[in-house]
């Protein structure tokens, strides 16, 4: 038995009736084999169709050993010999058609512009990639921004020209090789060749088992995001069709918000953004030096106190600054030092005394006030749910130091 692949003859056929030939159990659900199907199985870098089979949701379709299996969650109501109605998710199918055909056009453009050969293709959720190997034209050694812009424009001109996209099926390799193929064939029989434009001078012509629209104009648009070196090739990140439109609609909305916030337009938004970055860098540098001065002053204040236990509270110094303050004290460290960040109810403990174990103090007494934290003998940190809880912990530490 072998399922008739109706999508090979008509990619716009959205539904049909079919006979169930086999129902079996699989890891992901029930596996249904039909005498005919409109569902494209995963293959050629393209994800499968989804939809409905006899009212049941088809969540995956794959090919194994020449047969197509439709995966449904529960096939208790299905039996061999039953007639069922099939219906694909057309939005998913057309999305795949736009993206896959966009990849063909872009790959063909890179081959014509710089002799780039597509050695890898991936259709991801957020973008597509192709791996271009510069091997057919030795005059090109890199894909730079100028070449990317040229490729993108040429690709979209092919789309705007609304060229025919034709799938031709051949029984043998010899027959298929009569066409001007972009890439050498790796299979011997049952070959489908997809061409874009006039077959005598095509924009692309290559073997492919995927689904494609009947004209290039239906791709809508192709947008290249970036290119980067990858394993001796160049990986091109791009998108096509409605996904490219949605991506750039979102980015346009973000840009509009930035322009509004910066009181800028398209022509000066980058200039104003750079000016804002410069001001922020200057402000960060100023804060850095002010904080260093504050740490030096705090250290002097602590050095002037002779108590065995010192608790100092700060709002402008962050918990991350307390280590710098501890280092600034040098040898002038009390038996136990508690540095407190008031807004976050955080206490950092420091001690050089062999009689005091900061981590042990936190472990034994912080939970009594609802605190949590830990540390080593010389330092530790605990966070409390409120200022009152932190104050109770500090009172406990005062008692510990008095008793030591």
């Amino acid at each position: 038995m072998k399922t008739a692949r109706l999508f090979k003859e008509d990619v716009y056929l959205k539904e049909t009736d079919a006979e169930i030939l086999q129902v079996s159990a699989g890891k992901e659900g029930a596996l249904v084999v039909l005498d005919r199907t409109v569902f494209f199985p995963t293959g050629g870098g393209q994800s499968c169709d989804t939809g409905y089979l006899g009212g049941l949701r088809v969540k995956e379709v794959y090919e194994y050993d020449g047969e197509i299996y439709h995966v449904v969650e529960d096939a208790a109501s299905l039996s061999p010999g039953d007639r069922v109605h099939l219906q694909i998710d057309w939005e998913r199918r057309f999305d795949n058609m736009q993206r896959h055909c966009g990849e063909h056009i872009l790959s063909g453009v890179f081959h014509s512009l710089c002799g780039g050969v597509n050695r890898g293709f991936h259709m991801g959720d957020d973008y597509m990639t192709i791996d271009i190997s510069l091997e057919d034209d030795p005059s090109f050694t890199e894909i730079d921004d100028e070449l990317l812009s040229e490729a993108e424009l040429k690709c979209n001109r092919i789309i705007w020209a609304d060229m025919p996209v034709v799938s031709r099926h051949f029984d043998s390799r010899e027959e298929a090789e009569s066409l001007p193929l972009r890439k050498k064939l790796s299979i011997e029989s049952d070959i489908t060749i997809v061409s874009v434009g006039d077959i005598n001078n095509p924009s692309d012509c290559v073997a492919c088992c995927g689904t494609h629209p009947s004209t290039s104009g239906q791709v809508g648009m192709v947008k290249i995001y970036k290119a980067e070196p990858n394993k001796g090739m160049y990986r091109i990140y791009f998108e096509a069709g409605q996904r490219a439109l949605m991506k750039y609609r979102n980015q346009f909305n973000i840009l509009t918000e930035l322009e509004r916030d910066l009181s800028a337009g398209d022509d000066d938004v980058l200039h104003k953004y750079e000016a804002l970055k410069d001001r922020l860098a200057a402000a960060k540098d100023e804060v850095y030096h002010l904080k260093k001065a504050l740490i030096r002053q705090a250290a002097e204040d602590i050095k002037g106190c002779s108590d065995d236990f010192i608790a100092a509270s700060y709002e402008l110094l962050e918990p991350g600054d307390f280590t710098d303050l501890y280092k600034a004290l040098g040898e002038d460290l009390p038996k136990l030092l508690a540095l407190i960040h008031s807004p976050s109810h955080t206490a950092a403990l420091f001690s050089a005394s062999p009689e005091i174990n900061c981590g042990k103090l936190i472990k034994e007494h912080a939970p009594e006030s609802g605190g949590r934290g830990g540390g080593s003998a010389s330092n530790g940190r605990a966070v409390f749910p409120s200022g009152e809880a932190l104050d109770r912990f500090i009172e406990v530490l005062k008692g510990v130091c008095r008793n030591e």
Side-chain angles (χ1 to χ4, degrees):
M1 71 188 159
K2 190 172 184 180
T3 306
R5 293 154 169 76
L6 303 184
F7 53 82
K8 293 182 67 172
E9 305 302 326
D10 183 3
V11 294
Y12 295 92
L13 184 62
K14 303 177 182 67
E15 54 188 302
T16 192
D17 292 325
E19 180 182 340
I20 296 177
L21 301 180
Q22 177 183 308
V23 180
S24 57
K27 292 182 179 180
E28 302 299 325
L31 309 180
V32 181
V33 178
L34 305 165
D35 67 333
R36 60 208 308 258
T37 188
V38 289
F39 286 86
F40 175 81
T42 298
Q46 179 177 318
S47 61
C48 68
D49 287 323
T50 59
Y52 291 92
L53 183 158
L56 300 174
R57 183 69 182 170
V58 177
K59 58 182 182 178
E60 186 179 352
V61 184
Y62 66 90
E63 184 172 357
Y64 177 74
D65 199 21
E67 198 55 84
I68 294 179
Y69 293 88
H70 306 73
V71 182
V72 297
E73 291 185 358
D74 182 12
S77 61
L78 304 178
S79 301
D82 289 350
R83 297 288 295 178
V84 290
H85 187 71
L86 312 180
Q87 184 175 4
I88 63 169
D89 179 342
W90 173 249
E91 287 190 8
R92 179 184 174 96
R93 161 70 70 83
F94 191 66
D95 176 54
N96 279 335
M97 288 164 60
Q98 285 186 309
R99 300 179 86 201
H100 205 154
C101 190
E103 176 270 322
H104 276 256
I105 296 171
L106 187 59
S107 296
V109 165
F110 273 114
H111 189 261
S112 65
L113 285 180
C114 59
V117 178
N118 183 342
R119 294 298 183 189
F121 167 46
H122 176 68
M123 293 175 70
D125 291 335
D126 298 320
Y127 50 78
M128 292 186 286
T129 62
I130 51 175
D131 292 329
I132 298 296
S133 172
L134 297 175
E135 57 188 73
D136 281 1
D137 187 342
S139 64
F140 286 89
T141 58
E142 66 173 345
I143 295 179
D144 56 18
D145 290 342
E146 183 178 353
L147 183 55
L148 285 180
S149 296
E150 185 180 359
E152 182 181 83
L153 180 58
K154 185 174 181 180
C155 190
N156 281 289
R157 282 176 172 165
I158 292 170
I159 293 170
W160 303 333
D162 200 24
M163 297 178 176
V165 179
V166 181
S167 295
R168 297 176 173 87
H169 309 293
F170 299 92
D171 293 328
S172 69
R173 178 172 182 162
E174 183 179 2
E175 292 177 297
E177 287 179 336
S178 64
L179 299 181
L181 301 177
R182 163 169 55 88
K183 199 172 181 179
K184 292 181 180 178
L185 294 174
S186 58
I187 52 178
E188 298 295 331
S189 61
D190 192 19
I191 302 167
T192 299
I193 304 296
V194 177
S195 64
V196 180
D198 185 348
I199 192 61
N200 295 312
N201 184 28
S203 296
D204 191 47
C205 185
V206 72
C208 181
C209 65
T211 56
H212 307 82
S214 58
T215 59
S216 62
Q218 295 173 64
V219 173
M221 64 181 293
V222 164
K223 179 60 187 171
I224 297 175
Y225 298 153
K226 65 177 181 177
E228 60 186 23
N230 180 65
K231 299 179 181 179
M233 299 178 286
Y234 281 87
R235 177 159 290 176
I236 314 297
Y237 294 78
F238 70 104
E239 194 51 271
Q242 181 172 309
R243 292 198 187 212
L245 174 63
M246 293 299 102
K247 170 78 170 180
Y248 273 82
R249 175 182 290 178
N250 181 57
Q251 292 189 339
F252 178 81
N253 290 338
I254 293 172
L255 178 60
T256 300
E257 287 294 323
L258 287 174
E259 290 174 351
R260 185 181 297 116
D261 289 345
L262 295 172
S263 299
D266 292 350
D267 56 341
D268 65 344
V269 64
L270 285 178
H271 173 73
K272 290 194 173 184
Y273 172 67
E274 291 297 330
L276 177 61
K277 285 202 301 182
D278 291 341
R279 292 196 298 272
L280 288 175
K284 286 179 65 176
D285 186 62
E286 184 178 1
V287 168
Y288 172 80
H289 287 95
L290 288 173
K291 189 167 283 189
K292 288 296 183 183
L294 184 58
I295 288 173
R296 288 195 298 270
Q297 183 59 55
E300 291 301 318
D301 293 342
I302 292 172
K303 288 178 182 179
C305 183
S306 59
D307 295 343
D308 286 342
F309 173 69
I310 298 175
S313 182
Y314 304 94
E315 291 187 359
L316 298 179
L317 291 181
E318 301 287 336
D321 300 319
F322 290 160
T323 300
D324 291 336
L325 175 51
Y326 161 71
K327 291 178 180 178
L329 290 170
E331 300 295 327
D332 300 312
L333 189 67
K335 180 182 288 187
L336 179 60
L337 174 65
L339 301 178
I340 301 165
H341 181 243
S342 300
S344 66
H345 315 307
T346 300
L349 304 186
F350 297 93
S351 176
S353 171
E355 303 170 1
I356 299 292
N357 186 310
C358 297
K360 185 178 180 182
L361 286 175
I362 291 172
K363 183 177 180 181
E364 291 181 350
H365 300 293
E368 298 172 1
S369 300
R372 53 186 177 81
S376 64
S378 61
N379 65 84
R381 183 183 295 186
V383 180
F384 295 84
S386 66
E388 293 78 8
L390 176 53
D391 290 342
R392 290 195 297 271
F393 177 66
I394 295 300
E395 290 300 317
V396 171
L397 295 182
K398 289 179 181 179
V400 170
C401 283
R402 283 196 299 266
N403 296 327
E404 286 292 339

